Amino acid sequence: MTNVGIYLDATPGGGTYQYNLVMLEACRSLPQDSFDLLVAYSNSSWESKLSDIEVPARIIQRTIASRIWFQMRYPHSLWIRVGKYLDRFVKEFISYQRDIWIFPSQDIWSYSLPLNSLSTIHDLMHRYERGFTEAGSNYEYRMRERHYSLMCKYSKGVLVDSELGKQQVLESYHPSAEKIHVLPFVAPRYLEKKDYQIDLAKIYGIPQKFLFYPAQFWEHKNHKSLVKAVDQLKNRIPDIHFVFAGAPKNAYQSIKDLIHTYNLDSDFTFLDYVPDDHMAVLYRSARGMIMPTFFGPTNIPPLEAFATGCPSAVSNIYAMPIQVDDAALLFDPHSIPEIVNVIERMWTDDQLIQQLKLKGQKRDQLWNQAKFNVRLKEIIEIIV
């Protein structure tokens, strides 16, 4: 019997939370005759997701001691030696006697506890896209370099989203190649619900026809290029409308200011956090999803679009072309003319929309939650 623990340390909203949901589902699928699962979580928002599971679930919250230690940047190796004597947080993890702990949130506990861990590196864009302060500022760069180098050094295994992601980790921190395991992203299963319906016009004031971009408002998400493209299209397509859904971040106000400058306020709807069921309806109702991000290697929204039958167009960067193959339109996120062309095609070409929808659904069948589950089980067996 292999004793497995998973620590859910994300709050609702954003890609990390979606990844936690997928990883939780994969852990729940582990055969009970071979695996003993314990689910731990850091905040009460997870309780509604865990109410119906048939495995033990425990809340483990960070203590003052652990917070102070890492804020003061004391030696990491010393914490590993003494933390189990000083801190209730560390003691609780140890007490559950797991053969392996899975950390889907890229958090420091994947390398800061004296136990075997399977950690996650979603991206290293602080190295490859340093122009964006949210990832590449001097402070962020130093912090992330220390974080990921320690993760590669102390974790039993590290999950990455793609072969390119693995290559970037290897060339950046030089861990053993056998320690890095490719586990591509997958759309969370709640998007498969088709019987849930809401009135988007009544709840959010959204018109019947709209284009969708679900992303937190970071500069690297490149919302502004969509705004500039809409400004160029407005005379030709007067009814164009975009829905943005995501938590306000460092680009939020400047995006709103740009829209106001172009007098496009009525052409954009801003949504903050959207409940899971509502998100599924938004994808299914959208004319298409357009993602002009500058970050990779891959991303979750295209997979969510495939799972819901939402036609999509994505940035032609890093491993995104491999991720979507021919199931999405590709464009240069730096090129406003290319973005203009993609928006116009998706808004006006019904035949194209139907083709993209069918290709996306076909692509979704090639890699889904069930196959993700099998791959995670294989990785756990390799590590343990």
Side-chain angles (χ1 to χ4, degrees):
M1 181 71 71
T2 301
N3 297 316
V4 177
I6 179 172
Y7 188 55
L8 306 172
D9 191 22
T11 54
T16 300
Y17 177 71
Q18 307 303 321
Y19 187 75
N20 273 249
L21 290 175
V22 167
M23 192 64 74
L24 173 61
E25 181 68 25
C27 288
R28 291 175 63 178
S29 77
L30 293 170
Q32 295 183 8
D33 59 346
S34 304
F35 295 86
D36 180 75
L37 176 64
L38 172 72
V39 178
Y41 56 99
S42 62
N43 61 83
S44 60
S45 66
W46 282 102
E47 291 174 358
S48 63
K49 301 293 183 183
L50 302 174
S51 59
D52 64 338
I53 69 170
E54 299 178 355
V55 297
R58 305 283 188 271
I59 187 166
I60 308 180
Q61 296 176 318
R62 289 178 63 179
T63 59
I64 294 176
S66 62
R67 289 192 179 99
I68 292 176
W69 188 281
F70 285 97
Q71 287 173 356
M72 297 299 292
R73 299 179 67 85
Y74 291 136
H76 174 75
S77 57
L78 181 59
W79 173 260
I80 291 180
R81 292 198 299 271
V82 305
K84 59 186 176 181
Y85 303 112
L86 301 177
D87 189 45
R88 174 178 52 80
F89 179 83
V90 179
K91 291 178 181 178
E92 191 165 0
F93 273 97
I94 296 173
S95 70
Y96 292 123
Q97 299 181 335
R98 302 290 97 182
D99 298 308
I100 189 78
W101 275 96
I102 300 172
F103 295 91
S105 299
Q106 302 189 117
D107 44 29
I108 62 174
W109 309 115
S110 60
Y111 55 81
S112 300
L113 300 170
L115 43 79
N116 293 329
S117 67
L118 177 59
S119 57
T120 308
I121 295 179
H122 295 314
D123 70 75
L124 296 178
M125 291 298 107
H126 70 287
R127 278 178 161 256
Y128 296 92
E129 297 287 346
R130 284 207 66 180
F132 296 97
T133 58
E134 59 262 31
S137 69
N138 289 336
Y139 170 77
E140 283 290 334
Y141 184 87
R142 291 194 302 270
M143 182 185 71
R144 295 186 187 210
E145 279 295 281
R146 181 175 185 268
H147 176 62
Y148 293 124
S149 62
L150 288 172
M151 188 182 292
C152 288
K153 180 178 181 180
Y154 287 101
S155 298
K156 186 78 170 178
V158 178
L159 300 174
V160 294
D161 68 328
S162 60
E163 289 294 339
L164 178 59
K166 180 175 181 176
Q167 176 186 328
Q168 290 178 343
V169 171
L170 292 175
E171 69 186 19
S172 298
Y173 306 114
H174 312 291
S176 167
E178 290 73 24
K179 180 180 282 191
I180 313 302
H181 304 274
V182 176
L183 183 63
F185 296 143
V186 68
R189 288 189 63 188
Y190 70 79
L191 291 168
E192 298 174 1
K193 296 180 180 178
K194 298 180 180 179
D195 56 345
Y196 187 81
Q197 298 294 331
I198 59 172
D199 189 335
L200 295 177
K202 182 177 181 180
I203 297 176
Y204 298 116
I206 297 173
Q208 185 174 5
K209 186 177 182 181
F210 65 92
L211 293 167
F212 188 39
Y213 185 23
Q216 298 184 75
F217 291 90
W218 295 111
E219 286 286 354
H220 73 265
K221 297 296 186 180
N222 198 23
H223 293 79
K224 292 176 185 176
S225 288
L226 293 176
V227 176
K228 294 174 183 178
V230 169
D231 179 59
Q232 295 188 18
L233 282 167
K234 185 62 177 175
N235 289 336
R236 297 203 300 273
I237 310 177
D239 63 335
I240 189 76
H241 195 89
F242 261 93
V243 173
F244 291 159
K249 298 296 182 180
N250 67 344
Y252 183 76
Q253 190 57 51
S254 61
I255 295 167
K256 285 207 154 189
D257 291 344
L258 183 64
I259 289 172
H260 186 69
T261 298
Y262 288 144
N263 195 28
L264 298 173
D265 301 77
S266 62
D267 302 302
F268 291 86
T269 297
F270 283 72
L271 306 179
D272 196 339
Y273 170 71
V274 176
D276 292 345
D277 290 334
H278 292 203
M279 184 64 76
V281 176
L282 282 164
Y283 268 114
R284 292 201 305 270
S285 302
R287 174 77 174 181
M289 190 280 294
I290 302 181
M291 186 174 196
T293 182
F294 290 116
F295 277 19
T298 64
N299 284 278
I300 294 177
L303 303 174
E304 295 177 333
F306 295 162
T308 53
C310 180
S312 58
V314 301
S315 298
N316 186 9
I317 57 167
Y318 296 107
M320 294 285 281
I322 297 173
Q323 182 186 31
V324 303
D325 196 35
D326 68 343
L329 299 180
L330 295 168
F331 59 87
D332 180 356
H334 297 90
S335 171
I336 301 301
E338 287 194 28
I339 297 174
V340 167
N341 177 261
V342 163
I343 293 174
E344 186 166 23
R345 291 178 65 194
M346 294 190 75
W347 194 263
T348 61
D349 192 336
D350 293 340
Q351 184 177 358
L352 172 65
I353 288 297
Q354 186 61 24
Q355 290 173 349
L356 289 173
K357 180 176 182 177
L358 294 174
K359 288 181 178 180
Q361 290 172 331
K362 183 178 180 180
R363 186 74 178 168
D364 179 60
Q365 297 305 309
L366 295 178
W367 180 252
N368 53 28
Q369 180 76 58
K371 295 178 181 179
F372 183 100
N373 298 350
V374 171
R375 176 60 180 152
L376 178 64
K377 176 177 175 290
E378 293 172 349
I379 293 170
I380 292 172
E381 290 172 339
I382 291 170
I383 291 176
V384 177

